[in-house]
């Protein structure tokens, strides 16, 4: 034990664990013990370069040197190559902050993810945490709300509604009890930013919710996490305990007169709970049936009380805004999309992961530049942006900038910022059918256009795929899509036509029976 | 997975009583019962209804609305296989076909089998798909041999022990 202790960082993020990070951490501990070397293994979130996971970092002269992807079987050779001193090895990647993905990003919300120990409040403070909440406590509630409004922050869950306006409504509402509800029911395929944030820096979400509570006068908060995220729920629960012990949560938020208590609630496998009113029903202990609006949740939300319902990323952006100022946040981005967006690159992509960038970057830069094209090496045929209710965009629309309005202008939506890449083997008629089938499976059943329309849509797609009276069935498809868009109660039925119609518009050849039968031969 | 306590009304009563003071206690209560017994016994319905001051229909309604809640004892082993778009882009449907072809396993078919493979829509591992969840263990870059090993009862962690340097690099 003569040598100085070397800090080694191994992610505890679920994606890193899914490819063996736990075994790697164990192997490093065992190998160090066998060689009589002192290592301090710090478990962190993921840096977001998921194709490099498990990504192991070693602190050498104050700088982190990355190795990856590391398998447990590589560990002995890493020690042989003196990786504790940043030594050479085929998996040596160089300083983490200089890796191709990192310098080009603007990490506001994800500044600490992959850097700090997610459960160390001391680490959090040392890296700038709680500066936003401290500042907020010195401001009047209306000033906090105005700062959030002036930052231009819009709901990152998908709808893009200005967060400050929502808060203002709740602040103005008079009630005995108000709530802050975090929508962590991240059900969209291709999205994992909420999960990575909750696992990698839970305190920033807790701080954001505390700021919201102080701003609108709420005393109780809930984080509604989907049950498919057991790691995130566990991390949040531990972080809440640490925050209570550290005086961030409880009867007095950081010594102020504000009380704020926070609790994790776990969903039960219903995609619809990502819709805010259905999430509130679920939190109240009911079947998650969508509510008609009005009344807005801001006025009559959880248990009928004024409630802020925000996505994880919206709430987690607030500490940065308060700490650095609304102008600094609004100073990046394009058009009416201000600040940064954590983009998630997923599906058939060579380099997948999370990239936080100012709005305005093109899909092509993301998919081809950051992503390096498809994992299979085949041409990109389609990307689905914004989850299962988002549009399928063809290659020629990849120059569209990442921006709420620009994506809407090409018939798509940003959603929660997920981009799923498909190669040239994708069958878009089958993807369209899946969109309906998914809606049929996950519809809450309250409104007819969604409940019945989704089933009829899947049946119609079956006929089109089978080559039955294609022109007439495509007319039915269009008519049904119009109806679902116009008449559904919420985005589930209202947006299911988006992937369907975008597939039909951009890939009509896949809806053409001769082409299908030719492909089958 | 497995290792659940057999249904016991007294234990259930205690669990319900412990949680019934929570705001919106229904889901926490249902989760707690399922974690204890592996499913929610029909005998729990009146207990919950009494404790939460709701009708039995409302309890039944909640249990049946959410996919997670089971009304009968679970199979010994459950593999949740993601079949959402990002995993589709990496061929999860070929894994479904392979299960049927080589093992005769029909996804989502619950019978007397010890093993059930269930569809799940998104596990948040969309950059490292295809993905599956076994217990609380997430598995990335799933391929047919590893899925078959999981079906044979291999521990997920052991399945993750790949040859040197192979982690995260396997192409579908």
């Amino acid at each position: 034990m003569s040598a100085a202790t070397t800090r080694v960082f191994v992610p505890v993020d679920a994606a890193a664990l899914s490819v063996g990070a736990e075994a790697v951490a164990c192997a490093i501990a065992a190998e160090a013990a066998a060689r009589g070397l002192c290592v301090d293994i710090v478990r962190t979130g993921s840096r977001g370069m998921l194709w490099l996971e498990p990504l192991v970092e070693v602190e050498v002269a104050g700088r982190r040197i990355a190795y990856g992807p590391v398998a447990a079987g590589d560990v002995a050779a890493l020690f042989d190559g003196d990786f504790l001193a940043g030594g050479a090895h085929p998996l040596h990647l160089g300083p983490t902050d200089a890796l191709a993905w990192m310098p080009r990003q603007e990490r506001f919300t994800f500044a600490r993810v992959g850097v700090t120990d997610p459960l160390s409040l001391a680490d959090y403070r040392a890296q700038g945490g709680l500066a936003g909440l401290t500042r907020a406590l010195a401001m009047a509630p209306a000033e906090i709300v105005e700062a959030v409004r002036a930052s231009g922050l819009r709901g990152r869950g998908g709808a893009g509604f200005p967060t400050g306006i929502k808060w203002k409504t709740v602040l103005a509402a008079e009630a005995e009890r108000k709530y802050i509800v975090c929508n962590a029911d991240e059900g969209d395929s291709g999205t994992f930013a909420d999960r990575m944030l909750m696992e990698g820096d839970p305190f920033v979400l807790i701080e954001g919710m505390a700021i919201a509570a102080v701003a609108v006068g709420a005393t109780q908060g809930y984080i509604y996490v989907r049950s498919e995220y057991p790691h995130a729920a566990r991390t949040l629960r531990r972080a809440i305990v640490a925050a209570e012990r550290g005086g961030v949560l409880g009867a007095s938020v950081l010594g102020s007169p504000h009380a704020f208590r926070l609790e994790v609630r776990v969903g039960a496998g219903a995609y619809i709970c990502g819709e805010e009113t259905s999430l509130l029903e679920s939190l109240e202990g009911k079947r998650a049936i969508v509510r008609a609006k009005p009344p807005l949740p801001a006025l009559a939300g959880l248990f009928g009380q004024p409630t802020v319902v925000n996505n994880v990323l919206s709430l987690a952006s607030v500490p940065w805004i308060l700490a650095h100022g609304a102008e600094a946040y609004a100073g990046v981005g394009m058009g009416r999309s201000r600040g940064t967006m954590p983009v998630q690159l997923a599906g058939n992509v060579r380099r997948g992961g999370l990239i936080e960038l100012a709005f305005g970057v093109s899909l092509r830069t993301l998919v081809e530049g950051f992503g390096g094209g498809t994992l299979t090496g085949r041409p990109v045929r389609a990307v689905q942006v914004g989850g299962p209710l988002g549009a399928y965009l063809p290659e020629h629309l990849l120059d569209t900038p990442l921006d709420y309005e620009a994506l809407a202008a090409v018939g798509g939506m940003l959603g929660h910022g997920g981009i799923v890449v498909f190669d040239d083997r994708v069958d878009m008629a089958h993807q369209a059918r899946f969109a309906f089938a998914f809606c049929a499976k996950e519809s809450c059943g309250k409104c007819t256009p969604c409940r019945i329309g989704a089933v009829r849509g899947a049946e119609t797609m079956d006929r089109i795929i089978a080559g039955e009276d294609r022109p007439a069935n495509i007319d039915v498809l269009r008519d049904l899509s119009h109806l679902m868009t116009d008449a559904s109660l919420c985005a589930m039925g209202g947006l299911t036509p988006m992937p369907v119609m975008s597939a039909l518009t951009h890939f009509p050849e896949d809806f053409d029976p001769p082409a299908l039968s030719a492909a089958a031969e | 997975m497995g290792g659940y306590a057999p249904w016991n009304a007294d234990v259930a009563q205690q669990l319900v009583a412990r949680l019934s003071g929570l705001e919106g206690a229904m889901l926490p209560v249902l989760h707690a019962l399922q974690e204890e017994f592996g499913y929610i016994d029909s005998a729990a319905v009146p207990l919950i209804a009494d404790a939460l001051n709701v009708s039995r229909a409302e309890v039944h309604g909640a249990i049946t609305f959410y996919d997670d809640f089971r009304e009968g004892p679970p199979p010994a082993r459950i593999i949740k296989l993601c079949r959402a778009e990002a995993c589709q882009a990496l061929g999860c449907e070929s894994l479904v076909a392979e299960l049927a072809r080589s093992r005769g396993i029909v996804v989502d078919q619950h019978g007397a089998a010890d093993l059930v493979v269930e569809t799940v829509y998104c596990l948040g591992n969309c950059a490292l798909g295809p993905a599956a969840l076994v217990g609380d263990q997430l598995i990335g870059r799933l391929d047919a041999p590893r899925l078959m090993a999981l079906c044979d009862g291999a521990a997920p962690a052991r399945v993750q022990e790949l040859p040197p340097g192979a982690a995260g690099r396997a192409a579908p």
Side-chain angles (χ1 to χ4, degrees):
Chain A
M1 306 293 273
S2 56
T5 301
T6 308
R7 292 214 294 169
V8 178
F9 302 86
V10 185
V12 72
D13 176 275
L17 295 177
S18 83
V19 288
E22 196 60 37
V24 170
C26 293
I28 292 171
E31 197 67 31
R35 296 176 188 232
L37 297 168
C38 257
V39 297
D40 175 15
I41 300 175
V42 182
R43 305 304 297 270
T44 62
S46 168
R47 295 277 195 162
M49 297 175 283
L50 294 176
W51 82 97
L52 292 176
E53 293 292 358
L55 181 80
V56 174
E57 294 172 85
V58 183
E59 194 172 62
V60 181
R63 201 167 189 198
R64 292 197 193 173
I65 310 298
Y67 294 81
V70 178
D74 296 322
V75 169
L78 283 171
F79 276 89
D80 290 342
D82 200 14
F83 90 118
L84 293 183
H89 184 278
L91 299 178
H92 177 274
L93 300 167
T96 314
D97 52 17
L99 293 179
W101 265 39
M102 301 308 289
R104 295 154 74 190
Q105 296 190 47
E106 282 151 291
R107 290 214 163 199
F108 292 3
T109 309
F110 277 74
R112 281 172 296 264
V113 176
V115 178
T116 55
D117 172 351
L119 292 173
S120 165
L121 194 57
D123 237 14
Y124 183 67
R125 279 182 196 269
Q127 296 283 336
L130 298 178
L133 178 56
T134 305
R135 182 162 296 183
L137 287 168
M139 296 162 72
E143 288 175 333
I144 305 172
V145 171
E146 173 55 22
V148 173
R149 190 205 60 75
S151 75
L153 178 66
R154 292 165 70 178
R156 298 286 186 251
F161 186 82
T163 306
I165 305 286
K166 204 181 260 189
W167 288 22
K168 193 176 181 183
T169 309
V170 180
L171 171 61
E174 301 238 348
E176 288 277 305
R177 192 164 165 85
K178 296 180 185 177
Y179 292 98
I180 309 296
V181 170
C182 173
N183 182 344
D185 195 60
E186 186 181 51
D188 289 354
S189 175
T191 66
F192 43 83
D194 295 352
R195 181 188 61 68
M196 280 187 60
L197 189 105
M198 292 186 284
E199 292 173 1
D201 192 15
F203 292 124
V204 78
L205 174 59
I206 292 171
E207 183 182 351
M209 292 183 74
I211 293 170
V214 170
V216 305
T219 50
Q220 177 68 43
Y222 290 102
I223 305 174
Y224 187 95
V225 189
R226 59 202 299 260
S227 61
E228 293 84 350
Y229 284 2
H231 302 81
R234 198 156 50 229
T235 305
L236 284 170
R237 286 193 169 119
R238 289 177 185 165
I240 287 171
V241 170
E244 284 166 352
R245 288 193 184 138
V248 179
L249 295 173
S252 165
V253 172
L254 291 183
S256 74
H258 296 276
F260 184 55
R261 290 186 173 80
L262 194 49
E263 208 179 301
V264 172
R265 287 293 170 88
V266 176
Y271 175 78
I272 194 64
C273 290
E275 198 283 332
E276 63 176 2
T277 63
S278 116
L279 185 153
L280 294 174
E281 289 288 301
S282 184
L283 267 180
E284 291 183 8
K286 301 172 188 163
R287 294 162 70 87
I289 305 291
V290 172
R291 295 178 186 171
K293 288 191 277 194
L296 295 171
L299 296 172
L302 188 61
F303 301 109
Q305 301 303 307
T307 304
V308 168
V309 187
N310 280 148
N311 172 257
V312 173
L313 300 181
S314 313
L315 289 162
S317 299
V318 169
W320 196 97
I321 291 166
L322 268 290
H324 296 86
E327 280 177 24
Y329 194 80
V332 304
M334 79 176 271
R336 293 201 294 120
S337 304
R338 310 312 309 173
T340 61
M341 183 72 204
V343 179
Q344 301 121 84
L345 266 184
N348 190 342
V349 63
R350 196 149 77 88
R351 295 188 292 264
L354 181 133
I355 308 148
E356 184 176 354
L357 277 172
F359 283 98
V361 63
S362 75
L363 293 173
R364 191 178 303 282
T365 301
L366 292 163
V367 172
E368 294 177 359
F370 281 90
T374 63
L375 181 65
T376 47
R378 303 177 69 97
V380 173
R381 181 153 188 249
V383 297
Q384 188 179 25
V385 183
L389 307 176
Y392 286 101
L393 301 175
E395 201 274 341
H396 72 83
L397 285 177
L398 287 186
D399 294 312
T400 307
L402 196 79
D403 166 273
Y404 289 101
E405 281 70 37
L407 280 162
V410 297
M413 64 166 190
L414 175 63
H416 188 47
I419 300 174
V420 177
V421 181
F422 293 83
D423 73 14
D424 59 349
R425 293 174 301 180
V426 67
D427 178 336
M428 297 309 298
H430 279 98
Q431 296 309 120
R433 187 196 183 281
F434 175 76
F436 281 125
F438 182 72
C439 182
K441 165 79 175 56
E442 298 296 338
S443 171
C444 82
K446 180 161 180 167
C447 74
T448 317
C450 176
R451 185 183 68 246
I452 309 273
V455 178
R456 291 288 172 264
E459 291 167 357
T460 307
M461 279 311 307
D462 282 340
R463 289 190 202 103
I464 291 168
I465 289 168
E468 274 177 45
D469 199 0
R470 175 178 168 267
N473 277 307
I474 289 200
D475 283 346
V476 170
L477 194 67
R478 290 185 196 281
D479 188 41
L480 183 63
S481 290
H482 279 301
L483 183 128
M484 287 178 71
T485 304
D486 293 344
S488 294
L489 191 55
C490 81
M492 175 93 239
L495 290 176
T496 288
M498 190 181 272
V500 174
M501 283 294 113
S502 61
L504 179 63
T505 303
H506 300 303
F507 307 92
E509 62 275 20
D510 286 18
F511 292 70
D512 181 10
L516 284 172
S517 53
E521 277 164 17
Chain B
M1 216 166 296
Y4 293 111
W7 166 252
N8 178 311
D10 292 332
V11 174
Q13 182 78 61
Q14 285 164 21
L15 278 174
V16 174
R18 185 162 59 77
L19 296 168
S20 61
L22 294 174
E23 284 189 323
M26 182 75 80
L27 262 64
V29 163
L30 295 177
H31 276 303
L33 289 170
Q34 184 150 302
E35 272 166 36
E36 181 72 17
F37 304 114
Y39 71 105
I40 296 156
D41 197 279
S42 58
V45 173
L47 298 181
I48 301 168
D50 276 354
L52 303 188
N53 197 25
V54 295
S55 69
R56 279 178 291 162
E58 284 168 292
V59 180
H60 177 75
I63 293 169
T64 51
F65 182 87
Y66 299 97
D67 285 349
D68 281 4
F69 299 127
R70 298 174 189 282
E71 295 180 88
R77 196 170 178 76
I78 301 168
I79 299 172
K80 294 190 175 187
L81 180 67
C82 178
R83 296 174 72 188
E85 289 89 338
C87 287
Q88 290 169 11
L90 285 173
C92 66
E93 290 308 309
S94 67
L95 294 176
V96 172
E98 181 62 20
L99 279 170
R101 195 189 63 78
S102 70
R103 300 295 167 104
I105 294 172
V106 179
V107 174
D108 295 323
Q109 189 174 77
H110 288 250
D114 286 346
L115 168 77
V116 174
V117 181
E118 290 182 347
T119 297
V120 63
Y121 291 115
C122 198
L123 296 166
N125 200 23
C126 319
L128 294 174
L133 189 70
V134 180
D136 275 1
Q137 276 196 283
L138 185 62
I139 298 157
R141 292 288 190 242
L142 188 63
D143 56 19
R146 295 168 83 195
L147 179 57
M148 298 312 142
L150 284 174
C151 291
D152 292 337
R158 203 168 313 132
V159 174
Q160 286 167 21
E161 296 266 354
L162 297 176
R169 279 188 218 148

